[in-house]
Each structure stands twice: as C-alpha cells, then as structure tokens.
Amino acid sequence: MNRRDFLKQITAVSLSYAAINISGCSASLSRSSGRKPNVIYILTDDQGTIDMNCYGAKDLYTPNMDKLASEGSRFTQFYAASPICSPSRAAFLSGKTPQAAGMPGNAPSSKGNAGMPSSTVTISEVMKSAGYKTAHIGKWHLGYSEDTMPNAQGFDYSFGHMGGCIDNYSHFFYWYGPNRHDLHENREEVFLDGEYFPDLMTEKALEYINENSGDPFFLYFAFNLPHYPVQPAPKWRDYYKNLPEQRRDYAAFVSTIDERIGILIDEIERLGLKNDTIFVLQSDHGHSTEERCGWGGGSAGIHRGAKFSLFEGGIKVPAIISWPGKLPRNQVINQPAFEVDWLPTIADLCGIRHEIRELDGKSLKGMLKDPHSPNQHEHYVWQIGEQWAVRKGDWKLIGNAWDTSSKETLDDKIEPIFLVNLSEDPEEKTNLADKKPQKVNELISIYKNWKYANPEFIRR
C-alpha cells in the first residue's frame, strides 16, 4: 500500500470514532532508547483562545488535541508574540520578539520579496547543528525570496506555500491580483491541482516521518487553517450541520485539523516512537473576525479581542506540550508563558546547547517539571503597528488599544491607554488607567526602556 492509499484509508474512518474514550488509548510499545527525542511542532492558524474541548469548547470535537493535553501539559496563560501571522511565526523560530527577529509585521506574499532576515538564527538551524533532520511542511509566510525561504533558514526539506494563505484546492493566492500559484517542494514550484492541501501536508509528513524514523528529526507542521478561505473537509461540515453557519464552518475546519493531527500521532505510535517524540501544539494568535471568514466563527470565550488586537483574545492562545514518559501527564500550568520560550525549552529538553545572542525566550523545563515554579519573565512587551502592551505580574497596560472582537457589551474604539489587572478582570472590561496613575507610569517606563519602543506611540 503506498502512502497516498494509506492516508485515504485512515481519513475514511467513520465518525463513530467520536464515541471512543480517548483516555483509554493504549500505550506505545516504544521504550526509551537514549536517543535524542524527535520534535513535532504543530502550529494552527487563527484558532481561538478556547477552541479545543480541553480549553472549554462545548460544541467542538477535538479528541486528538485533547489527547496531547491529557498526555502532557496544557497552558492556561500562554501568549503568542503577535496577533498576526508572520511576526508570531518569526518569534517561535527565533526565540526572539518579532522586532528582534526582524519581522515586526507580515511578510509579503509575492515571489521575490524578502521576509525574516537570513541572519536571524532559527530553531531549525539550532536543531540541524545538533544532528537533527529538519522539515517544514505547510504555511511559511516569512519570506518569498531565495535567501528567506525555508531551505535557506535551516530546513533540509520544505513543502508548502510561501505566502499568507492559499486556496486549499487550486493552491492559488488570490486576495489581490494578479492571482498566483503558490505551492513549493523545496525550492521548486509543484503543481498538484485539485488535491486538498491539508491532506497533502499530512501525506508529506507521513513520508518524512517514515523516511527519518531512525534519526532524531524536527518537524515544523504549520497549518493554514482555520485561516480563510474556509474550506473544511466536507464530512466535518456535515457533522456540524446544526450549528449556526459561521460557527459550523469554523468548527468543521478545527476538526479537519484535529483529524490530521490524529493521523500523525497514530503514525508515531505505530512506529514505536511515542516515548521518543515531543509534540508541541499552539495557535499562532487569536481567531479572525475578518470579512473573508464571514466575520469569524472562532471564540475567545470571556476574553475581549481577536486577531490584530493586543487584548487577550488576540494573543492568548491554546498551547500544549507532550512527551510521554518524560514530562508529567494531564498537567495544567497557570503561570504565564510566551511563544519565544519554545526555542530554549525545546533545546533544553533535547540536551542541545546554543549560543544565540540576546535570546528573549526562557526555558520552560523547570515549569514543566513543577507547574508552580515562578515565571522567569519579569515583564513582557508586545508591539504591532502603533499598538503596544506590557505585562508585569497580573497587570497589563495596552497603548492605543483596539478591540477587534465586537463584543456587544464593549465598545471597539481605540483607547490611548488601557490598564487592567487580569486576575481581577480577565475580560478586560474596565480601564483602570485613571485610578492607577502610578502603575500606568511604571508600565510605560518599561515600554520606554524596551529597545524597540517608539515614543510617538505613547499617547495619554
């Protein structure tokens, strides 16, 4: 049976699987071999803060995401480095803020345009230097020039699209003209017209895992969904047919993701690599409320904000790490953690030394062993356009705050200074700036002292 037939056989499994209790899944036959662990980092695109069952969603079916959580650690205060795509991805790959990584805004989606500088050291380069095989599969959106595409940024193998999104069947980027085809395998453009991109991703990942099962590998598996265009697998749209239209199509896209994550998990277990593989899963930022996705079907739960916003709904994301037999199971970590932390954490868990200068991330290894360990970041700073934010302890200050969630009880005007104590007001409903001027000044001072601060963005 070839890989394509194998994939089709797996994805044809009946939805009766929904009745299976995933907590009873059998353990892997793998035993620790002393080898360095594989790492599979899964990034979803525009997935809302609570849009997994294990994060509180009551109307979604996400057994495979939930399985990773039950076999590992789930973060309740995990923050993306940006509320838009490219800067978030750059922060993961570099372990630095988007500004330090050279990617403060979205990369162009046209061929020949550069993105994240080739001088930025990536986690793939770190892993490769330690003997790892490295692969990127899926969305890139960090540069479309020869020296900023994946093969020039530390990836031995790459399959996917270079721009911000594609149609999942034609593989064309068509948000503004001229329409252009965008599907590449390594440095070559490939044409697979009519084939469903999430299935192509999964097929390429299965092939890669099997070809490299004897060596430690790092696989960056970057979905372009539930980002628009909203094109879920038809069986999932039918599964959610009784939900309102916006939520129905979005939910179907989330389960399309989940099913393919399950295929990767199953293959790792089939190969006896379960205890030798670290899975990391997160969303790149909050859900979209853009017109192109029907004004959005995702959810941030109680939180204000969505994609493009530095309110919690734009940057607080689901995040999970699992390494059976090596890290605690079914653990919930309530301490703040940040996307920039993955590079030093993964390197630490894999026993890899690196010498990246001015790394913004901190290893979470201690927190994974003891979830009550203190957060190693004294404070953290975000900036996107003229919006900026500082978090220190439970306090968060947003400059030029913009709410893209359109919650009925909240206005969406831009406020120059917005102060909140997240432990007391997680919904970010009440601006305390006028009542707490000393705290405002303290957090503004942190922003002013940040290397990439722009004094013109401080308005009061």
Side-chain angles (χ1 to χ4, degrees):
M1 181 184 297
N2 62 34
R3 304 309 302 166
R4 181 67 57 82
D5 291 338
F6 177 60
L7 176 64
K8 288 181 178 178
Q9 179 175 331
I10 293 177
T11 56
V13 173
S14 167
L15 283 173
S16 63
Y17 175 71
I20 296 175
N21 181 349
I22 64 169
S23 64
C25 187
S26 62
S28 167
L29 296 177
S30 170
R31 298 191 178 190
S32 178
S33 60
R35 58 173 277 173
K36 289 184 182 296
N38 309 309
V39 179
I40 299 178
Y41 176 87
I42 301 170
L43 188 66
T44 62
D45 196 355
D46 293 13
Q47 185 173 4
T49 307
I50 68 161
D51 283 329
M52 296 179 195
N53 293 145
C54 59
Y55 276 92
K58 304 297 185 184
D59 57 349
L60 299 179
Y61 177 60
T62 58
N64 296 298
M65 298 181 194
D66 300 338
K67 178 178 179 178
L68 291 178
S70 69
E71 294 185 345
S73 295
R74 175 174 64 87
F75 293 86
T76 64
Q77 291 195 79
F78 194 93
Y79 290 93
S82 175
I84 62 173
C85 296
S86 298
S88 172
R89 292 156 199 273
F92 156 66
L93 286 171
S94 68
K96 297 184 177 185
T97 65
Q99 290 72 23
M103 198 79 257
N106 272 340
S109 292
S110 299
K111 187 177 294 186
N113 288 287
M116 184 172 67
S118 57
S119 58
T120 298
V121 179
T122 64
I123 187 172
S124 48
E125 291 171 316
V126 170
M127 304 298 278
K128 190 172 180 177
S129 70
Y132 274 73
K133 303 294 180 62
T134 58
H136 151 264
I137 294 175
K139 174 173 173 173
W140 181 242
H141 203 194
L142 285 169
Y144 206 160
S145 62
E146 187 70 20
D147 65 337
T148 59
M149 290 168 69
N151 294 119
Q153 297 280 33
F155 289 101
D156 301 317
Y157 175 78
S158 173
F159 174 83
H161 58 97
M162 299 299 104
C165 56
I166 56 170
D167 179 89
N168 287 287
Y169 295 94
S170 70
H171 318 135
F172 269 72
F173 181 96
Y174 57 84
W175 302 119
Y176 52 87
N179 296 345
R180 49 199 179 274
H181 180 264
D182 181 5
L183 186 62
H184 296 77
E185 188 161 27
N186 295 321
R187 291 179 169 87
E188 300 296 323
E189 189 172 11
V190 293
F191 294 87
L192 299 168
D193 301 356
E195 299 200 47
Y196 191 45
F197 184 62
D199 284 348
L200 289 172
M201 283 181 60
T202 309
E203 177 193 343
K204 295 296 184 181
L206 293 177
E207 291 174 354
Y208 184 81
I209 290 169
N210 276 269
E211 289 170 3
N212 295 280
S213 60
D215 299 300
F217 62 81
F218 170 69
L219 171 58
Y220 172 37
F221 194 71
F223 282 106
N224 64 327
L225 45 156
H227 192 289
Y228 52 78
V230 185
Q231 298 168 312
K235 77 173 190 180
W236 290 113
R237 184 174 273 139
D238 183 64
Y239 181 83
Y240 290 108
K241 62 186 178 183
N242 294 324
L243 291 181
E245 181 178 357
Q246 286 180 326
R247 185 64 171 173
R248 178 199 71 196
D249 292 344
Y250 174 88
F253 231 6
V254 171
S255 287
T256 299
I257 296 170
D258 184 84
E259 181 176 38
R260 281 142 190 83
I261 290 173
I263 293 171
L264 298 191
I265 294 172
D266 289 348
E267 188 71 350
I268 288 295
E269 294 182 357
R270 187 185 74 81
L271 292 170
L273 295 174
K274 180 174 181 177
N275 291 344
D276 292 317
T277 302
I278 299 170
F279 274 95
V280 179
L281 167 65
Q282 77 158 90
S283 175
D284 63 346
H285 48 68
H287 67 288
S288 173
T289 55
E290 296 166 88
E291 182 178 10
R292 288 176 178 145
C293 60
W295 309 115
S299 177
I302 65 171
H303 298 298
R304 182 178 186 175
K307 183 179 179 180
F308 300 111
S309 173
L310 290 179
F311 281 110
E312 293 287 275
I315 53 176
K316 186 176 178 183
V317 296
I320 294 165
I321 182 170
S322 170
W323 188 9
K326 302 297 192 303
L327 294 175
R329 293 172 53 90
N330 203 28
Q331 178 171 256
V332 177
I333 297 177
N334 296 314
Q335 297 277 30
F338 303 88
E339 188 173 17
V340 294
D341 295 333
W342 284 132
L343 188 156
T345 301
I346 290 170
D348 200 359
L349 293 174
C350 295
I352 300 172
R353 293 186 179 183
H354 61 86
E355 297 181 359
I356 304 176
R357 295 181 180 180
E358 299 180 346
L359 199 68
D360 293 309
K362 311 285 186 183
S363 175
L364 301 173
K365 184 176 179 179
M367 190 181 292
L368 293 170
K369 299 288 186 179
D370 177 6
H372 302 294
S373 297
N375 171 24
Q376 295 190 56
H377 292 271
E378 183 179 351
H379 58 260
Y380 192 83
V381 180
W382 293 264
Q383 184 166 282
I384 182 69
E386 296 189 4
Q387 283 184 91
W388 55 271
V390 176
R391 175 156 181 181
K392 182 179 181 182
D394 290 328
W395 290 97
K396 179 181 171 188
L397 182 71
I398 311 176
N400 309 308
W402 179 33
D403 181 9
T404 53
S405 60
S406 301
K407 288 181 180 288
E408 293 182 5
T409 57
L410 302 169
D411 62 57
D412 61 359
K413 69 181 180 180
I414 295 174
E415 298 197 37
I417 290 291
F418 190 99
L419 177 70
V420 65
N421 185 300
L422 292 170
S423 65
E424 299 173 356
D425 182 14
E427 298 176 65
E428 297 178 293
K429 281 187 173 181
T430 305
N431 188 351
L432 300 177
D434 290 340
K435 295 182 179 179
K436 300 286 185 180
Q438 289 184 327
K439 182 60 68 174
V440 169
N441 289 336
E442 176 190 352
L443 298 182
I444 286 179
S445 179
I446 291 173
Y447 174 67
K448 283 182 175 180
N449 290 325
W450 184 53
K451 182 177 180 179
Y452 303 96
N454 188 331
E456 294 181 3
F457 297 164
I458 301 173
R459 303 183 180 108
R460 304 183 71 172

